[in-house]
RNA sequence: GGAGAGAUGGCUGAGUGGUCGAAAGCGAUCGCCUGCUAAGCGAUUGUACGCCCCUAAAAGGUGUACCGCGGGUUCAAAUCCCGCUCUCUCCGCCA
């Protein structure tokens, strides 16, 4: 959510920024609601003030056993007026609030202006595309040939976009989760948290999934609960409605969680393989920082995500999302894209964002400045470290061998009881 | 699922219709005092929104709201009534 005072005073600038993101906002409606709200507020507060004064007098009169009936009758009328105005105010505030909740964040000045993902500049690249003496296969073929990924059975059990892992694939997924958590907690200074995977509506509003993107979420029928689409939601909401001490910042959390996404609107897209699933595992890093440090922290966060792929020895590159490609809540986002030789494409495997105070304002996460005593919104950031299913894909495709086997990167072998090569359970 | 108890400021905890944004204690901050330390003394110590002031922000002034959340009664609600949520205790069930 944007700061309403800022919006009021910088309508033109915000409009321009929104246009760069391919959004347009009905600012006349905003200004109308904003003025209406303040008008009603002023009127109702004036009446309340009058009533508060009169009520005090009534109390005094009654104490003196004097007659207060005239004043009481008068205030009875005032109260009726207040009631009417209050109702009006509530409706107006609701409307204004809903309006504010639908406005995306303002992008940072360093965000490149563009029309789509093709305009995302490549900032850096690590490693090389592997060279194969044979035609590299896509992971769905590798996984099925090895009998470790079972898309048919996954679909039978649940439906399209669900996969059954068997044997070494299941073990690899688990190894990756532990490897990533150990790296981020042991070397990058994050504290591990394990959260609920179901959250309430307030949490979804806090991080920006609601109210605008309800169709992307799985909702529990008959209850106001949602399956999390990312650990970002429960982790960021840990401090919702709290005022932190400046001393506590920065806070760095890392969490494993499954992620559930309805993938509404992506029918027919990435239907094969593990790329786009209704349920996938992810290790997520979340930071709470002071405003002045958040962009430094974003660089570090992104480097932490890249480090996972470096340790795994997989070629990847990092892009800066342009204005058109930026997510709703984000002020700036870096995507880490991993090379998938079996599909001959780069795939997003991590998305690292600085939300500045956008989520903090929605979720009311603040901190008290030690020197001035002032209360200020924190900045929140998060990034995948990494999407686990897609990492499995990257390993299968990048480390596949001519005989159909797949080598296991060295750093993972201790997590796989020393296994260095995936072989078919049948073999 | 059944029975009961509770939710007040950073914390503990008082407060059953008006003088309560809320006692007291603890903590914290500032100052005083005493060679140092400890103790003592004094002051300050929530958040949001509006209006005034102001080029703007801050500061200042002023008002309103907030005692788990939402309604209701009343001139007036932390206090009375209704609904909800959460926490705790006991019983039952359960990974």
């Amino acid at each position: 959510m944007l700061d309403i005072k800022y919006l009021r005073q910088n309508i033109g600038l915000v409009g321009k920024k929104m246009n760069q993101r391919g959004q347009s906002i009905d600012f006349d409606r905003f200004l109308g609601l904003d003025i209406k709200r303040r008008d009603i507020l002023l009127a109702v507060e004036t009446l309340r003030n009058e009533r508060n004064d009169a009520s005090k007098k009534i109390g005094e009169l009654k104490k003196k056993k004097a007659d207060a009936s005239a004043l009481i009758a008068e205030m009875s009328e005032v109260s009726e007026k207040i009631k009417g105005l209050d109702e009006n105010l509530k409706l107006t505030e609701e409307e204004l609030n809903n309006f504010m909740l639908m406005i995306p964040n303002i992008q940072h000045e360093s965000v490149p202006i563009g029309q789509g993902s093709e305009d995302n500049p490549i900032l850096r690249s690590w490693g090389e595309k592997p060279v194969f003496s044979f035609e590299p296969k896509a992971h769905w073929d590798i996984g099925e040939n090895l009998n470790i990924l079972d898309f048919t059975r996954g679909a039978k059990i649940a439906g399209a976009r669900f996969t059954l892992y068997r044997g070494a694939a299941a073990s690899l997924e688990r190894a990756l989760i532990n490897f990533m958590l150990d790296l981020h907690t042991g070397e990058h200074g994050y504290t591990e948290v394990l959260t609920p995977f179901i959250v309430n509506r307030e949490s979804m509003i806090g991080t920006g999934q609601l109210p605008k993107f309800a169709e992307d979420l799985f909702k529990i029928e008959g209850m106001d609960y949602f399956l999390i689409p990312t650990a970002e939601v429960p982790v960021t909401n840990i401090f919702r409605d709290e005022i932190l001490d400046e001393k506590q910042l920065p806070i760095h959390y890392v969490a494993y969680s499954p992620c559930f996404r309805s993938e509404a609107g992506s029918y027919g897209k990435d239907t094969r393989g593990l790329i786009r699933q209704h349920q996938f595992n992810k290790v997520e890093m979340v930071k709470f920082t002071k405003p002045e440090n958040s962009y430094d922290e974003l660089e570090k966060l992104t480097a932490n995500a890249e480090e996972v792929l470096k340790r795994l020895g997989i070629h990847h590159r990092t892009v800066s999302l342009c204005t058109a490609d930026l997510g709703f809540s984000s002020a700036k986002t870096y995507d880490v894209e991993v090379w998938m030789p079996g599909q001959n494409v780069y795939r997003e495997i991590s998305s690292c964002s600085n939300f500045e105070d956008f989520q903090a304002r929605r979720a009311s996460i603040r901190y008290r400045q030690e020197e001035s005593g002032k209360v200020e919104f924190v900045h929140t950031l998060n990034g995948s470290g990494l999407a686990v299913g897609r990492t499995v894909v990257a390993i299968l495709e990048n480390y596949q061998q001519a005989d159909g086997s797949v080598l296991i990167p060295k750093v993972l072998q201790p997590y796989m009881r020393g296994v260095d090569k995936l072989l078919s359970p049948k073999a």
Side-chain angles (χ1 to χ4, degrees):
Chain A
M1 193 151 63
L2 303 182
D3 178 1
I4 195 163
K5 284 181 204 156
Y6 180 84
L7 179 57
R8 207 180 275 152
Q9 284 162 10
N10 300 278
I11 287 268
L13 179 65
V14 175
K16 203 175 133 199
K17 289 272 192 178
M18 290 302 126
N19 290 338
Q20 288 175 353
R21 295 178 81 129
Q23 305 280 323
S24 68
I25 280 133
D26 184 354
F27 287 115
D28 287 339
R29 184 158 161 246
F30 165 74
L31 287 172
L33 282 170
D34 185 47
I35 288 169
K36 188 178 171 194
R37 170 181 167 267
R38 281 184 290 162
D39 283 349
I40 301 171
L41 194 61
L42 188 61
V44 80
E45 287 191 351
T46 306
L47 287 177
R48 278 223 177 85
N49 181 224
E50 192 184 322
R51 185 178 71 183
N52 286 347
D53 287 347
S55 289
K56 252 178 221 168
K57 269 185 215 146
I58 291 167
E60 285 161 22
L61 287 173
K62 289 214 161 183
K63 210 177 227 171
K64 285 187 270 178
K65 306 254 188 234
D67 177 44
S69 55
L71 205 48
I72 288 175
E74 200 184 315
M75 285 310 110
S76 185
E77 261 173 58
V78 170
S79 277
E80 280 307 304
K81 270 191 218 162
I82 290 174
K83 215 175 186 177
L85 286 171
D86 254 343
E87 240 161 79
N88 213 334
L89 180 65
K90 202 177 146 189
L91 290 174
T92 308
E93 282 188 331
E94 227 163 74
E95 207 179 327
L96 186 61
N97 195 244
N98 287 338
F99 185 89
M100 294 300 291
L101 287 175
M102 301 295 255
I103 302 176
N105 201 357
I106 296 170
Q107 63 274 19
H108 188 254
E109 58 190 10
S110 66
V111 171
I113 294 167
Q115 308 302 314
S117 55
E118 65 281 359
D119 295 327
N120 298 338
I122 298 163
L123 301 180
R124 55 186 169 269
S125 180
W126 185 94
E128 303 278 337
K129 293 179 187 176
V131 179
F132 296 93
S133 60
F134 56 95
E135 186 66 28
K137 294 189 174 75
H139 69 278
W140 49 82
D141 289 329
I142 302 166
E144 283 185 330
N145 290 342
L146 288 172
N147 196 29
I148 56 175
L149 291 179
D150 192 334
F151 300 102
T152 312
R153 300 287 189 0
K156 174 165 72 180
I157 297 164
R161 299 196 190 282
F162 288 96
T163 301
L164 173 70
Y165 286 60
R166 183 186 292 112
S171 167
L172 177 60
E173 180 97 3
R174 186 159 54 88
L176 279 168
I177 292 167
N178 284 327
F179 164 65
M180 292 177 193
L181 287 171
D182 283 353
L183 175 64
H184 294 314
T185 56
E187 297 186 40
H188 296 155
Y190 293 78
T191 302
E192 184 177 350
V193 290
L194 185 62
T195 70
F197 301 148
I198 293 175
V199 299
N200 58 30
R201 181 174 296 273
E202 288 70 37
S203 292
M204 285 295 188
I205 290 173
T207 32
Q209 283 72 24
L210 289 178
K212 203 168 179 182
F213 306 101
E215 70 281 3
D216 296 338
L217 299 172
F218 283 114
K219 186 175 187 305
I220 308 290
E221 196 180 354
M223 285 187 260
D224 212 23
Y225 282 139
F226 301 84
L227 299 185
I228 58 170
T230 159
E232 162 193 352
V233 178
V235 177
T236 306
N237 277 282
I238 288 173
F239 297 114
R240 175 154 48 83
D241 294 321
E242 292 192 32
I243 299 174
L244 303 167
D245 286 333
E246 184 173 343
K247 274 182 252 160
Q248 292 175 262
L249 300 175
I251 294 168
H252 295 179
Y253 282 149
V254 61
Y256 153 76
S257 90
C259 305
F260 303 92
R261 299 187 180 179
S262 74
E263 295 299 341
S266 60
Y267 306 110
K269 202 172 161 192
D270 305 321
T271 49
R272 290 198 80 181
L274 284 178
I275 294 299
R276 194 171 297 277
Q277 300 275 290
H278 284 312
Q279 177 189 323
F280 63 96
N281 292 308
K282 186 153 60 74
V283 169
E284 184 79 1
M285 302 172 282
V286 176
K287 294 185 175 186
F288 303 84
T289 76
K290 292 193 261 181
E292 60 267 31
N293 299 332
S294 66
Y295 279 94
D296 284 346
E297 294 281 5
L298 176 62
E299 298 301 322
K300 287 186 202 156
L301 181 75
T302 310
N304 294 154
E306 290 166 353
E307 183 63 24
V308 177
L309 288 171
K310 288 182 186 171
R311 302 270 175 122
L312 293 173
I314 300 173
H315 169 53
H316 61 277
R317 64 185 194 185
T318 303
V319 304
S320 182
L321 295 194
C322 73
T323 48
D325 216 17
L326 213 54
F328 175 78
S329 301
S330 176
K332 183 170 186 174
T333 297
Y334 296 124
D335 271 7
V336 179
E337 299 180 336
V338 69
W339 175 245
M340 303 289 200
Q343 302 159 65
N344 206 39
V345 290
Y346 288 94
R347 282 284 187 186
E348 174 194 334
I349 198 163
S350 174
S351 195
C352 302
S353 302
N354 185 358
F355 303 94
E356 298 190 0
D357 62 6
F358 188 84
Q359 293 181 327
R361 184 171 286 107
R362 287 177 161 246
S364 190
I365 307 168
R366 295 172 293 173
Y367 76 104
R368 192 179 302 281
Q369 291 178 344
E370 217 166 357
E371 219 166 289
S372 64
K374 271 187 63 185
V375 174
E376 202 57 67
F377 288 109
V378 302
H379 279 193
T380 61
L381 302 90
N382 67 56
S384 349
L386 306 165
V388 181
R390 288 187 180 186
T391 309
V392 168
V393 171
I395 289 171
L396 293 181
E397 297 197 2
N398 280 279
Y399 284 100
Q400 59 180 304
Q401 305 297 302
D403 64 359
S405 66
V406 175
L407 298 181
I408 297 295
K410 263 222 153 49
V411 291
L412 288 180
Q413 290 172 13
Y415 291 93
M416 306 233 348
R417 286 163 296 146
V419 171
D420 59 359
K421 195 181 206 181
L422 297 190
L423 297 168
S424 167
K426 285 178 187 164

